[in-house]
Amino acid sequence: MTTATDFSRTRGQFHLPDGVTYLDGNSLGPMPHGAMAAATRAIEGEWAQMLIGGWNKAGWMAMPERLGNRIGRLIGAPEGTVVVGDTLSLKVYQVLASALALRPDRRVVLSDTGNFPTDLYMADGLIKMLGDGYELELVAPEDVADAIGERHGAVMLTHVDYRTGRMHDMAAITRKAHAAGAVMVWDLAHSAGAVPVDLAACGAEFAAGCTYKYLNGGPGSPAFAYCRADLCDDASIALQGWLGHAAPFAFDPHYRPAQGIARLRIGTPPVIQMAVLDAALDVWDSVSMKDIRARSLFLTDRFIAAVEAKCPDLQLVTPRDHASRGSQVSLSHEDGYAIMQALIAEGIIGDFRAPDILRFGFCPLYNTDADVDRAVDVLAQVLAEKRHEQPRFRVRHAVT
């Protein structure tokens, strides 16, 4: 297929090991070629030479908002509404607490059973600490829209289900939440860089996401948080870190939140990781999210059709409907873990999610038609020859 974005050029910007077909960018993106140079520059050219002066001379302190603006372009967020730092778990806690503070008369958070566990853990921990009748209500993903009601203070959802690839209708659910008087919180971990997102257009109050999946920021790269522009100056802050203070270097013992998105900062920026993320974001400068989406649907359609033709023992879990599909394909099989290990041994890298899901992420920046075809051919061979029944493929590793 032809798009305005040159995906052969973007593929050339990544380090992709020989003999490997990488379909796990929905878990950890590959290393952009610019990452090593960026890390070296931050370590040798800045830290080593400038020492503590790097905070001023190299602009380290401004990185959270500067990188936030770069990510904002990919998620429909205006300048000054996204900040980078900390982990996704912390950012989820932070924005959910801010959302609940906007509706102090409501005590129920609505989420779904397909939400990523850390989101539910953070919500549960926050609710336990708040006490006073707060509760977390969970419904099936397909029942969310009908479940939203006037008792909900916040609706907190992951846009694309990490396990199945099912995608919520962001605009419709946000409208429903607002009609019921609830505040909307989106987790964009499997959306940012994967599917078009327009936070400003849908009017969601808060969002958070990670940068090590489709944005290719590297293992442990920092998360981001979004706050709607009209709320940034007044959002209540639960995690009152020193860099979210109005004057961090006044060392005031009393917390005064900064104006704007800076109030969602917590701790010291991870400068070297942010330097790598900055380089990773360079790849996106000439990329259209419309083209990303068109190419993603082409690749996932091709993969689904080939799997169903050649691997009838696998059950499709991901929605066929384009409007309900993210940028991954999930298949179920009772021996899913062993099958994935057998695939990895052949250089086809996806991953497994309990209890029986084989996940394949498709990233148009570097995945090709040939990647799809090779993955399906090897998958069919593994199943036909029952390679996955070898004992070595049933040994569980710490990371699946």
Side-chain angles (χ1 to χ4, degrees):
M1 64 175 296
T2 302
T3 61
T5 300
D6 182 358
F7 289 116
S8 64
R9 183 194 64 80
T10 60
R11 179 179 170 85
Q13 293 180 262
F14 290 91
H15 176 76
L16 299 166
D18 291 340
V20 169
T21 296
Y22 194 66
L23 300 178
D24 207 15
N26 55 322
S27 190
L28 176 66
M31 188 183 80
H33 286 307
M36 189 69 73
T40 300
R41 184 168 57 251
I43 294 170
E44 295 183 353
E46 297 174 0
W47 179 21
Q49 301 302 319
M50 300 177 189
L51 299 171
I52 198 169
W55 291 108
N56 292 319
K57 295 177 183 177
W60 293 346
M61 193 58 76
M63 292 178 84
E65 285 100 331
R66 182 172 64 78
L67 295 184
N69 287 333
R70 298 194 75 184
I71 292 170
R73 184 183 75 82
L74 304 176
I75 58 174
E79 188 165 318
T81 60
V82 180
V83 68
V84 173
D86 314 296
T87 69
L88 180 53
S89 297
L90 288 176
K91 288 308 181 196
V92 166
Y93 188 99
Q94 192 178 31
V95 297
L96 179 59
S98 296
L100 289 175
L102 291 174
R103 299 292 184 271
D105 57 328
R106 299 189 182 195
R107 298 287 190 270
V108 182
V109 175
L110 177 67
S111 190
D112 70 50
T113 54
N115 208 344
F116 191 69
T118 199
D119 294 39
L120 302 181
Y121 301 160
M122 299 307 283
D124 183 60
L126 173 61
I127 283 167
K128 286 177 178 175
M129 188 170 67
L130 290 172
D132 196 25
Y134 278 90
E135 62 179 283
L136 174 63
E137 178 185 349
L138 300 179
V139 298
E142 59 271 21
D143 296 333
V144 167
D146 290 337
I148 298 172
E150 294 183 355
R151 70 195 199 98
H152 298 120
V155 178
M156 180 192 70
L157 299 170
T158 295
H159 185 211
V160 176
D161 189 310
Y162 78 101
R163 186 180 284 121
T164 67
R166 181 188 190 277
M167 185 167 65
H168 283 297
D169 185 331
M170 180 179 286
I173 288 180
T174 302
R175 283 195 302 270
K176 188 74 182 289
H178 288 168
V183 177
M184 192 71 231
V185 178
W186 288 104
D187 180 336
L188 304 179
H190 290 268
S191 307
V195 299
V197 174
D198 196 339
L199 290 170
C202 79
E205 286 86 351
F206 297 100
C210 63
T211 62
Y212 49 79
K213 300 181 190 298
Y214 295 95
L215 297 182
N216 311 298
S221 61
F224 64 86
Y226 162 83
C227 178
R228 202 172 68 193
D230 61 309
L231 301 174
C232 280
D233 286 339
D234 300 306
S236 177
I237 303 300
L239 299 175
Q240 298 181 167
W242 77 298
L243 288 182
H245 193 281
F249 287 89
F251 299 108
D252 183 348
H254 303 291
Y255 186 77
R256 292 182 293 113
Q259 291 294 292
I261 196 64
R263 67 175 47 204
L264 289 186
R265 293 178 65 163
I266 302 176
T268 305
V271 170
I272 297 168
Q273 288 182 317
M274 285 190 173
V276 172
L277 174 59
D278 202 11
L281 292 173
D282 287 344
V283 179
W284 293 93
D285 285 344
S286 61
V287 173
S288 157
M289 285 306 303
K290 180 181 178 181
D291 289 346
I292 285 282
R293 182 59 172 162
R295 181 70 177 152
S296 166
L297 290 172
F298 175 84
L299 292 171
T300 51
D301 279 345
R302 185 185 184 99
F303 184 78
I304 290 169
V307 166
E308 292 187 328
K310 298 182 179 183
C311 309
D313 291 340
L314 297 175
Q315 181 68 41
L316 178 66
V317 176
T318 301
R320 297 179 189 277
D321 175 37
H322 285 182
S324 301
R325 185 196 310 165
S327 196
Q328 72 182 58
V329 176
S330 295
L331 308 166
S332 66
H333 191 284
E334 61 181 358
D335 287 329
Y337 178 82
I339 293 169
M340 183 55 71
Q341 294 307 305
L343 281 175
I344 291 171
E346 297 295 328
I348 309 297
I349 301 181
D351 63 20
F352 171 81
R353 291 294 178 262
D356 60 359
I357 301 295
L358 297 94
R359 290 197 320 174
F360 301 89
F362 292 88
C363 304
L365 291 181
Y366 51 84
N367 285 139
T368 65
D369 297 14
D371 287 339
V372 172
D373 298 343
R374 178 171 182 253
V376 176
D377 286 346
V378 174
L379 178 57
Q381 291 169 11
V382 165
L383 292 170
E385 298 172 10
K386 301 186 183 300
R387 297 181 200 171
H388 60 284
E389 294 183 0
Q390 298 177 41
R392 65 187 175 119
F393 294 137
R394 298 183 181 277
V395 176
R396 293 290 178 120
H397 300 291
V399 177
T400 64

